[in-house]
């Protein structure tokens, strides 16, 4: 059992980091297609990722010392199909006429190894049929390709990290793994009848996705600022190649950063959405849109008020708080008093912003203070596009 326990422990250690990487891609996909992120679907997907991770580590672990592998002289590949049957007949202690040999025969490697290779891909077949809704032929192909990946991993000595293979690449494992995927496909109805079908999960996701949650908007926010960060970095590098630009901001890096912040907010959140009717890149990806009350096309004025409150006022509060906190150590009493008042005022505004977000989350109201001030709100574009297609 230790041979199986160690790879699973390793998978458990690595899984949180892999899940974090998968999460972002999965969340974007779910928001774009369904408009929401269902915990049930996420749980199924993460269990699938964890299963694949365990299966992979069962194939490659434990890792022997590289010097030790260089001394190996054992066979590296077995190309005789169904040789596992011949091996079983040669090595088994099974005597069909002697029941006392049944249990000892089941404990032999000639039985356990092929059985393990079949069972290894049974969950794979279940996931592919239940969650990914693949046909029988596609499950066979996918199971074969996954098994081929495992065998090539072994044949190449973990992608040539080792001087030679440290495990046997066997065509019979390929056959048994593929058979396991077929078995998984066949038994799926017996294992998943208590769970909601994939169609039911999708329907629930579409229904929930008609309203725009704060988490969906947060996803759009993160995408926008990720792209802005990359573009801003490139533009600043190019600008610093200009001697006059370097001279203007010499010793004023904080002023430079604030100026770029204002420029990016103005271009990305105020000017561009005026022409795209309330859509930024992040909003377009998660399929949401900012609209103005009583108007088919949002105006620049509404966008300026909306994002002016959010970024030009509240977006810089933390900066003002940081500056005023530094001045609290000044030896000038009047400057200390002014800095304290500014710090407390900024803290109050920031507290009100956080309180507003919490109220929206608790009461499930979708409009924040800057939306009320600008008479704008966020809608999902999924329903509109579907209706347009049906019309």
């Amino acid at each position: 059992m230790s041979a199986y326990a160690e790879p699973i422990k390793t998978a458990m250690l690595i899984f949180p980091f892999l899940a974090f990487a998968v999460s972002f891609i999965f969340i974007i996909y779910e928001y774009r297609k369904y408009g929401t992120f269902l915990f049930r679907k996420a749980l199924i997907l993460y269990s699938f990722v964890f299963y694949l991770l365990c299966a992979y580590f069962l194939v490659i672990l434990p890792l022997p010392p590289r010097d030790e592998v260089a001394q190996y002289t054992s066979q590296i590949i077995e190309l005789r199909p169904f040789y596992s049957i011949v091996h079983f007949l040669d090595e088994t202690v099974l005597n069909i006429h002697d029941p006392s040999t049944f249990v000892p025969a089941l404990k032999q490697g000639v039985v356990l190894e092929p059985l393990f290779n079949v069972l290894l891909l049974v969950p794979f077949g279940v996931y592919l049929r239940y969650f990914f809704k693949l046909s029988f032929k596609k499950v066979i192909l996918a199971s074969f390709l996954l098994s081929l990946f495992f065998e090539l991993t072994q044949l190449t000595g973990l992608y040539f990290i080792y001087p030679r293979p440290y495990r046997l690449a066997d065509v019979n494992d390929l056959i048994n793994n593929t058979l396991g995927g077929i078995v998984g496909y066949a038994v799926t109805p017996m294992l998943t009848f208590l769970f909601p079908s994939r169609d039911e999960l999708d329907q629930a996701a579409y229904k929930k996705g008609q309203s725009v949650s704060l988490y969906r908007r947060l996803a759009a926010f993160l995408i926008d600022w990720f792209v802005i960060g990359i573009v801003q970095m490139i533009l600043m590098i190019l600008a610093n190649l200009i001697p006059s630009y370097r001279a203007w901001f010499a010793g004023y890096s904080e002023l430079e950063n604030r100026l770029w912040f204002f420029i990016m907010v103005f271009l990305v959140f105020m000017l561009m959405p005026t022409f795209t009717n309330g859509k930024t890149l992040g909003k377009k990806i998660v399929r949401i849109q900012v609209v103005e009350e009583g108007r088919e096309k949002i105006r620049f004025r509404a966008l300026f008020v909306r994002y002016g409150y959010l970024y030009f006022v509240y977006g810089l509060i933390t900066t003002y708080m940081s500056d005023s906190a530094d001045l609290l150590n000044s030896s000038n009493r009047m400057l200390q008093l002014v800095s304290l008042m500014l710090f407390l005022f900024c803290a109050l505004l920031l507290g009100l912003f956080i309180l507003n977000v919490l109220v929206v989350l608790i009461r499930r109201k979708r409009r924040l203070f800057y939306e009320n001030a600008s008479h704008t709100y966020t809608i999902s574009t999924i329903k509109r596009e579907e209706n347009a297609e049906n019309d």
Side-chain angles (χ1 to χ4, degrees):
M1 288 297 294
S2 61
Y4 303 114
E6 193 61 33
I8 294 174
K9 288 180 183 178
T10 306
M12 291 177 69
L13 291 173
I14 295 178
F15 174 70
F17 302 99
L18 184 62
F20 179 79
V22 171
S23 294
F24 188 73
I25 299 172
F26 177 66
I27 288 172
I28 297 303
Y29 172 80
E30 288 293 300
Y31 277 140
R32 176 156 182 79
K33 185 168 184 179
Y34 304 105
T36 191
F37 178 76
L38 285 185
F39 178 75
R40 287 172 292 175
K41 292 179 74 174
L43 192 62
I44 294 171
L45 181 72
Y46 291 154
S47 67
F48 178 63
V49 173
F50 181 68
Y51 153 71
L52 288 178
L53 201 59
C54 288
Y56 180 70
F57 285 139
L58 284 168
V59 169
I60 68 169
L61 296 181
L63 297 176
R66 200 167 178 277
D67 294 340
E68 181 182 312
V69 173
Q71 305 301 319
Y72 288 176
T73 58
S74 57
Q75 182 182 358
I76 63 173
I77 189 169
E78 175 58 72
L79 295 175
R80 291 172 288 182
F82 305 106
Y83 182 72
S84 56
I85 298 175
V86 177
H87 191 215
F88 168 76
L89 295 174
D90 289 341
E91 300 292 333
T92 184
V93 297
L94 176 66
N95 185 342
I96 198 68
H97 303 293
D98 185 1
S100 64
T101 64
F102 292 175
V103 174
L106 290 175
K107 295 180 179 180
Q108 285 188 286
V110 289
V111 173
L112 293 177
E113 186 178 341
L115 181 62
F116 166 78
N117 282 299
V118 172
L119 294 176
L120 183 65
L121 260 65
V122 169
F124 188 66
V126 174
Y127 278 109
L128 292 188
R129 181 176 181 180
Y130 168 67
F131 188 72
F132 297 100
K133 298 170 63 176
L134 295 191
S135 64
F136 180 64
K137 291 181 180 179
K138 289 181 179 178
V139 170
I140 294 176
L141 178 61
S143 300
F144 174 81
L145 292 176
L146 179 62
S147 179
L148 182 63
F149 167 70
F150 288 158
E151 296 307 311
L152 290 176
T153 299
Q154 294 177 334
L155 182 62
T156 57
L158 198 56
Y159 323 115
F160 306 104
I161 293 175
Y162 286 90
R164 54 154 286 154
Y166 61 91
R167 285 193 174 182
L168 178 67
D170 193 342
V171 69
N172 295 282
D173 293 346
L174 198 62
I175 295 170
N176 292 329
N177 289 158
T178 306
L179 177 61
I182 295 171
V183 172
Y185 180 92
V187 302
T188 297
M190 293 183 286
L191 298 177
T192 61
F193 70 95
L194 291 175
F195 299 98
S197 68
R198 175 60 191 271
D199 290 333
E200 290 172 337
L201 289 173
D202 289 347
Q203 213 164 22
Y206 275 123
K207 185 177 180 181
K208 188 178 178 182
Q210 299 315 307
S211 62
V212 182
S213 67
L214 286 180
Y215 303 109
R216 188 173 173 187
R217 291 165 62 177
L218 177 62
F221 171 87
L222 293 175
I223 294 170
D224 282 331
W225 278 103
F226 176 75
V227 175
I228 288 172
I230 294 174
V231 173
Q232 180 177 324
M233 181 179 66
I234 294 171
L235 291 177
M236 289 179 70
I237 292 172
L238 294 175
N240 275 289
L241 297 176
I242 304 172
S244 57
Y245 178 87
R246 293 201 305 269
W248 291 339
F249 293 103
Y252 297 97
S253 59
E254 190 174 342
L255 176 63
E256 181 187 12
N257 290 332
R258 289 184 185 181
L259 180 61
W260 277 106
F261 175 81
F262 280 111
I263 292 173
M264 286 298 172
V265 168
F266 179 79
L267 291 176
V268 175
F269 296 102
M270 297 178 181
L271 188 60
M272 288 175 58
T274 305
F275 299 101
T276 58
N277 198 19
K279 293 180 183 179
T280 62
L281 177 62
K283 289 179 175 61
K284 190 170 182 62
I285 289 175
V286 302
R287 298 172 79 177
I288 58 177
Q289 176 184 3
V290 177
V291 296
E292 185 178 0
E293 292 177 353
R295 293 183 177 273
E296 290 187 8
K297 187 172 177 60
I298 196 167
R299 296 175 298 172
F300 172 79
R301 177 181 176 277
L303 289 166
F304 185 85
V305 173
R306 176 188 175 95
Y307 291 110
Y309 269 111
L310 180 60
Y311 290 113
F312 292 167
V313 179
Y314 279 85
L316 295 177
I317 283 177
T318 53
T319 303
Y320 298 143
M321 287 182 68
S322 176
D323 292 344
S324 59
D326 292 338
L327 293 174
L328 289 174
N329 298 321
S330 173
S331 57
N332 188 317
R333 292 287 182 179
M334 182 58 69
L335 188 58
Q336 279 186 332
L337 181 60
V338 172
S339 300
L340 178 61
M341 292 176 64
L342 179 61
F343 180 85
L344 293 176
F345 179 69
C346 290
L348 176 63
L349 291 178
L350 187 61
L352 289 173
F353 175 74
I354 295 172
L355 180 63
N356 182 240
V357 173
L358 292 175
V359 169
V360 169
L361 286 172
I362 294 171
R363 295 186 177 181
R364 297 188 179 277
K365 292 181 179 179
R366 303 303 181 193
R367 297 181 71 176
L368 293 164
F369 73 94
Y370 58 87
E371 295 177 295
N372 289 323
S374 60
H375 302 289
T376 60
Y377 57 96
T378 308
I379 63 170
S380 172
T381 60
I382 293 177
K383 185 176 180 179
R384 285 187 168 192
E385 290 175 11
E386 287 176 348
N387 288 341
E389 289 174 5
N390 293 334
D391 293 341

